[in-house]
Amino acid sequence: AVDAAIAAVRDGQVAPDGSIIDIGPVSSQIVSASVGQAVQKSGRTTGLTTGAVAAINVTVDVGYSKECGGASNQIARFVNQVRVTPGSFSAGGDSGSLVVESGPTSPLDGFPRAVGLLFAGSSSSTLANPIGRALSLLNVSMAGGTPGKSGAGALTPALGRAKATLDKHSASLFAKSGVVGHGIGISESGKPVIEVYVVDDNAKASAGIPKKLDDVPVNVVVTGSFEAF
């Protein structure tokens, strides 16, 4: 699932090349998110910020307020999302910002490629829909070119095993008190780890989360609760 919208463009009011304030034109190509990938965005609230992809294949519960069109305290669970840090990367009102790669780019046009569509976050993290999925579901393409590939990207065997393990244990993890999500990150040694996101540093809740799942290390990450931006 994605949290996104489309709107009609007024002639002369939007740059036809999709140029973003403080970033400039972006590529018509897209790229899959990868852990450690440097990214940037320009948003209504926080302006131009930079960060890095902290986790992929993220499943997370997101709160929606009445201002976001839902009932008070309504929770929606999103699957296969992207988590970006630091917490200062975005804030309420930045929803809809295009998250694009930062630093050297590989496309022939030399412009940064879209990674995801920002839609929610917490005090420590930002959540984005994978851009390939958002484009596919809305049946649209990046400005300035033909539709890019889905951007799904193939997982390495190690990441694939971590994902399979996480899928297997997802329900049991969400059943634990204080857990609001999980994803796949990378350890300092470069190996996949399962991240389990909790609302606060509650020793009792963390004690119920295993150190490993089917031999895949587990890291507990205090993210706070996630809210739609």
Side-chain angles (χ1 to χ4, degrees):
V2 300
D3 180 341
I6 56 176
V9 174
R10 291 184 178 180
D11 291 341
Q13 300 300 306
V14 176
D17 63 358
S19 184
I20 300 174
I21 294 174
D22 295 325
I23 293 178
V26 296
S27 178
S28 61
Q29 299 180 44
I30 58 176
V31 64
S32 299
S34 58
V35 179
Q37 182 180 31
V39 292
Q40 60 183 323
K41 75 96 185 68
S42 179
R44 187 200 73 178
T45 303
T46 58
L48 177 65
T49 57
T50 59
V53 173
I56 58 175
N57 292 106
V58 171
T59 297
V60 64
D61 288 342
V62 176
Y64 281 80
S65 65
K66 290 182 178 179
E67 288 76 13
C68 291
S72 180
N73 299 320
Q74 183 174 354
I75 302 295
R77 181 166 295 175
F78 287 82
V79 178
N80 192 30
Q81 305 301 302
V82 179
R83 185 171 78 90
V84 177
T85 56
S88 57
F89 186 75
S90 70
D94 284 331
S95 181
S97 300
L98 191 64
V99 178
V100 303
E101 60 188 347
S102 179
T105 57
S106 58
L108 294 177
D109 56 23
F111 299 131
R113 295 168 294 183
V115 175
L117 191 64
L118 194 157
F119 77 101
S122 70
S123 59
S124 67
S125 307
T126 293
L127 296 176
N129 304 141
I131 190 61
R133 184 62 173 159
L135 294 175
S136 176
L137 289 176
L138 294 176
N139 194 28
V140 296
S141 60
M142 296 294 297
T146 56
K149 295 182 179 180
S150 68
L155 296 177
T156 65
L159 285 172
R161 288 191 294 271
K163 181 182 184 301
T165 297
L166 189 52
D167 291 344
K168 175 182 174 183
H169 294 279
S170 179
S172 62
L173 290 173
F174 271 109
K176 297 182 184 299
S177 175
V179 172
V180 292
H182 54 61
I184 299 174
I186 298 293
S187 69
E188 292 183 359
S189 61
K191 296 181 179 180
V193 296
I194 290 173
E195 296 185 341
V196 179
Y197 310 132
V198 296
V199 173
D200 52 41
D201 193 9
N202 185 307
K204 183 178 180 180
S206 297
I209 298 172
K211 301 296 184 183
K212 287 186 176 182
L213 288 171
D214 297 351
D215 292 328
V216 181
V218 174
N219 287 345
V220 176
V221 182
V222 179
T223 59
S225 58
F226 289 94
E227 302 294 333
F229 281 171

